[in-house]
Amino acid sequence: ILSYDPNGLGVPYSNTFASDTHIRLVELSAQVLCVLLDCGLPGNPESVANDNGDPIVEFDEASKGGFNIFRTLLARLDSSKELTFIYKGFVRLLKNVYESKNTYLPNSLAKLECFQELLVLLWKLLEENPLFMNHLLTQCDVNEIIVPICFLMYQSRRDPARIGLVHICTFVLLKLSGERSFGVNLNKPFKTKLPCDMPLFSGSHSDLISITLHKLVVNGAYKLVPLYSCFITIICNISPYWKSMSLVSAVKLVNLFELFSSPKFLYSGESAHRHLALLLEVFNNVIQYQYNGNQHLVYAIIRRKDSFGRLVSLTLAKAISQCSKVYGDKRTVQYDADKDKTDIVSTSSIDERGNPIDDRRSRSSGRRRGGNSVVSDQESTISGDAATIDTGGDETMTTTTGSSIVGDHFQPTEEWIADLKATLPLETVTRLLQHLVPVVDEMCARKNGVVDEVEILEVLKDVTMVGLLPVPHAIVIRKYQPNQYTALWFTAFMWGVIFLRNQNLPIFDGQAIELFQVSVAPGDDD
């Protein structure tokens, strides 16, 4: 599979002079390998050798019920040469999804259709081989695999048939984003030209990820709503290492904050404001740890200062008034953040010693420690059809889908306002605005309001915030944690792909397979 090169000899239309049996063989082989790696128990990554030094599988391991030799061999791959070959193969095949469309001569390059199977195989390696993740992040250029993943997500955002593809790409990004070296590697400049309508920007691969995820939120299918927390979590994980944010990314992230803080979204459910907490954490991470080089974000925050001011000054009376103005007396809500409690992302905070901590306590203790930032790893799990982040103690973030939910709509209360104020870390941004807004206003007044944007950026670049901002908080990283629901989802996704990709010569009984269920509402006459 991974030795195949869709570019061939590099001659345009060379694929038209050769049979497509090799491509079909690669696709079928990928499907067979997916099935073989999906059954049985996970393999033990600890290798065992006999007296001659040859690798073996011990009898006790092989005699277990559910033993799978393929998963065991996959888990025990440890040669640097083999791991590099595997990664380069994935990169070569996945890059074909945009390289085949990025040619001067139409259809001059062979196009692979097995990218979903390849992503499943990539996920299996990341999950079951502990050395592959470390090798990918330290010995390879991880950005090579990020570009096709972002391209697939961007192109599939409106296609209902590819919602599962967006899910698996999100899972891969979420797992990788839990590693510090991933965020550092993303600072490499992005120079690839992609055949899509993505806005032009001059920045890094961190910008590519944020622009892609922003597009999925503002212009994606409605069924992507459960992934919103995952999207923002990915950006949050990489934000402490984001050296220089492009203007496009900065504006889009602040626009995203405006979207989530708008009355229509903020009052859609009791827990809808949890997205804002993650976005504020993104801003705080960049301001506290990467202020130099991120004037674009600072300027974007200053321009939209009213959005942050409205949250700081929000009272119960204002909240009730805004909620009534948006929803009135409607009893049907198009989006409700509390309909379903099934977890898709749940995280619990732990300190550097592995002890569970409350997220709010970690922030306050980070302030007391001064400049010594402590990285606190958080374990994350993916499952179900809702998005929940549990940050320890009584904090829970949930986003769920719900098309046309009938019932009493959420009404703000004193307890909700208190929870919102306690959850949103607004202190860093507030102090930033208190110091920099007068600086910008004075500059504009001095020049009668005619100020070039470049001049403002230069002023912001020279301003120091040392001693003005709160003591840097602890860096919180949310790590993916395997669970049975994710495994079941991948099994269902894999078999759905295999079934739909083998319709020309039907090898399945279509009448015995249900891809979806049709529910009839009670009292429906049809």
Side-chain angles (χ1 to χ4, degrees):
I1 299 171
L2 299 177
S3 63
Y4 176 67
D5 186 358
N7 295 328
L9 300 175
V11 179
Y13 297 107
S14 60
N15 57 302
T16 60
F17 300 105
S19 64
D20 61 350
T21 54
H22 198 171
I23 295 179
R24 185 58 180 157
L25 177 62
V26 170
E27 295 175 346
L28 289 175
S29 299
Q31 294 172 10
V32 171
L33 187 56
C34 284
V35 173
L36 292 175
L37 294 175
D38 188 64
C39 56
L41 299 174
N44 183 3
E46 297 182 7
S47 58
V48 179
N50 58 15
D51 296 336
N52 298 325
D54 299 324
I56 60 170
V57 177
E58 57 274 30
F59 177 78
D60 292 340
E61 183 77 16
S63 60
K64 290 181 180 179
F67 170 75
N68 186 335
I69 184 62
F70 298 100
R71 298 182 73 169
T72 300
L73 294 175
L74 183 74
R76 295 184 179 182
L77 289 172
D78 57 2
S79 167
S80 177
K81 184 178 180 181
E82 291 177 338
L83 295 176
T84 300
F85 169 80
I86 291 172
Y87 178 71
K88 291 296 183 183
F90 277 120
V91 169
R92 187 190 319 110
L93 296 179
L94 288 175
K95 285 171 68 174
N96 177 261
V97 298
Y98 65 85
E99 286 182 344
S100 60
K101 300 178 181 180
N102 211 13
T103 57
Y104 290 105
L105 300 173
N107 302 318
S108 60
L109 188 63
K111 182 180 180 182
L112 287 177
E113 298 292 345
C114 61
F115 47 85
Q116 296 183 98
E117 295 92 322
L118 291 171
L119 288 170
V120 172
L121 291 176
L122 175 63
W123 177 259
K124 291 290 184 183
L125 268 164
L126 291 172
E127 275 285 271
E128 303 201 10
N129 190 306
L131 297 178
F132 183 70
M133 169 83 84
N134 181 65
H135 182 83
L136 182 154
L137 295 173
T138 58
Q139 305 299 323
C140 304
D141 184 4
V142 70
N143 298 307
E144 291 182 322
I145 207 79
I146 295 304
V147 175
I149 288 177
C150 288
F151 176 77
L152 285 170
M153 295 177 74
Y154 194 90
Q155 292 293 87
S156 306
R157 67 187 186 277
R158 302 291 297 172
D159 188 352
R162 291 193 172 187
I163 297 299
L165 173 62
V166 177
H167 273 73
I168 189 172
C169 291
T170 303
F171 295 160
V172 172
L173 288 180
L174 183 63
K175 186 171 182 64
L176 292 173
S177 69
E179 304 295 326
R180 177 187 179 276
S181 52
F182 176 74
V184 174
N185 288 332
L186 289 178
N187 286 303
K188 183 177 179 181
F190 173 73
K191 298 180 180 179
T192 307
K193 184 179 179 182
L194 297 176
C196 60
D197 61 346
M198 183 176 293
L200 296 176
F201 67 94
S202 177
S204 63
H205 288 76
S206 296
D207 295 292
L208 173 67
I209 291 178
S210 66
I211 291 172
T212 300
L213 298 181
H214 168 270
K215 193 70 171 181
L216 266 65
V217 172
V218 301
N219 192 34
Y222 185 76
K223 289 189 176 181
L224 294 181
V225 170
L227 292 178
Y228 285 0
S229 289
C230 295
F231 295 158
I232 308 175
T233 299
I234 293 168
I235 299 175
C236 192
N237 282 347
I238 66 177
S239 60
Y241 320 107
W242 201 339
K243 290 184 178 180
S244 181
M245 187 182 299
S246 70
L247 177 61
V248 176
S249 294
V251 171
K252 290 188 179 299
L253 284 180
V254 177
N255 286 347
L256 209 56
F257 182 86
E258 283 192 318
L259 171 66
F260 287 140
S261 62
S262 64
K264 187 172 184 180
F265 192 97
L266 186 60
Y267 305 118
S268 62
E270 185 176 355
S271 301
H273 63 279
R274 304 296 172 145
H275 296 303
L276 291 174
L278 275 177
L279 274 174
L280 282 170
E281 190 175 329
V282 172
F283 299 151
N284 293 344
N285 286 338
V286 174
I287 293 170
Q288 292 280 22
Y289 293 100
Q290 301 291 344
Y291 180 83
N292 294 328
N294 278 299
Q295 291 75 37
H296 290 305
L297 177 63
V298 174
Y299 181 49
I301 291 175
I302 293 174
R303 290 188 61 182
R304 308 295 177 84
K305 60 182 182 295
D306 292 341
S307 297
F308 299 90
R310 281 194 293 269
L311 284 177
V312 173
S313 61
L314 186 65
T315 61
L316 180 60
K318 290 181 180 178
I320 294 175
S321 174
Q322 293 173 0
C323 183
S324 300
K325 188 180 296 183
V326 173
Y327 289 108
D329 297 328
K330 295 180 182 177
R331 297 178 63 85
T332 301
V333 183
Q334 293 302 316
Y335 174 87
D336 187 349
D338 300 307
K339 174 180 177 271
D340 194 349
K341 292 298 180 184
T342 310
D343 294 348
I344 187 172
V345 177
S346 61
T347 62
S348 57
S349 303
I350 59 173
D351 60 17
E352 62 273 21
R353 297 180 180 178
N355 300 318
I357 57 175
D358 185 90
D359 201 32
R360 279 178 258 183
R361 287 205 305 271
S362 71
R363 283 198 292 268
S364 61
S365 61
R367 296 189 186 101
R368 290 194 298 269
R369 278 189 289 266
N372 299 324
S373 66
V374 178
V375 177
S376 146
D377 289 338
Q378 293 191 333
E379 302 300 327
S380 308
T381 56
I382 304 281
S383 63
D385 293 320
T388 301
I389 290 186
D390 182 2
T391 52
D394 57 349
E395 294 191 41
T396 309
M397 176 192 304
T398 308
T399 61
T400 59
T401 63
S403 57
S404 187
I405 304 156
V406 179
D408 293 334
H409 181 250
F410 160 74
Q411 288 292 333
T413 61
E414 285 286 0
E415 292 77 11
W416 181 82
I417 290 289
D419 180 63
L420 180 140
K421 298 283 187 180
T423 303
L424 302 185
L426 283 162
E427 184 181 4
T428 300
V429 175
T430 302
R431 291 223 196 154
L432 179 85
L433 292 173
Q434 286 173 349
H435 180 71
L436 293 183
V437 169
V439 173
V440 175
D441 289 345
E442 180 186 355
M443 181 180 178
C444 293
R446 192 169 61 248
K447 298 195 175 185
N448 298 322
V450 183
V451 184
D452 188 71
E453 193 175 79
V454 178
E455 297 179 48
I456 297 178
L457 292 174
E458 286 297 323
V459 170
L460 295 177
K461 184 177 180 180
D462 295 334
V463 171
T464 178
M465 297 300 295
V466 177
L468 299 173
L469 296 176
V471 176
H473 57 279
I475 296 177
V476 178
I477 302 298
R478 296 162 178 84
K479 289 190 174 183
Y480 168 84
Q481 179 179 342
N483 63 90
Q484 59 178 339
Y485 302 106
T486 311
L488 290 173
W489 183 90
F490 270 94
T491 299
F493 173 75
M494 177 196 70
W495 279 109
V497 170
I498 293 175
F499 174 72
L500 293 174
R501 299 258 292 123
N502 290 277
Q503 294 297 304
N504 292 335
L505 180 62
I507 58 176
F508 302 101
D509 182 3
Q511 296 182 348
I513 296 177
E514 293 182 0
L515 292 179
F516 56 87
Q517 293 181 340
V518 178
S519 300
V520 179
D524 193 342
D525 295 334
D526 295 334

